[in-house]
Amino acid sequence: MAQHTPPAPRICPACDGFASVAVTLGGRNTRGHLRTITAHCPACHGTGTAAARRDREGARA
């Protein structure tokens, strides 16, 4: 019996799949580590995937 593979998740068009990034704030803390913050993509909320879009038949573009 054939195994069906699930479709690949759709990559978010806003971040191209790179949903979270670490941004350096410039400078170091007292232990010598770079100070960073994490920023997430506002479109996909840090998941890197987008929901499948459903087009209705007869809908205008």
Side-chain angles (χ1 to χ4, degrees):
M1 184 178 272
Q3 295 281 333
H4 294 287
T5 57
R10 299 178 63 101
I11 295 175
C12 175
C15 65
D16 290 329
F18 296 97
S20 298
V21 295
V23 181
T24 61
L25 298 175
R28 298 184 179 265
N29 65 9
T30 57
R31 300 182 124 197
H33 297 277
L34 281 174
R35 293 176 25 208
T36 61
I37 58 171
T38 304
H40 299 291
C41 174
C44 65
H45 305 289
T47 62
T49 59
R53 209 177 111 195
R54 290 187 152 186
D55 292 328
R56 287 197 275 165
E57 190 174 324
R60 293 183 184 206

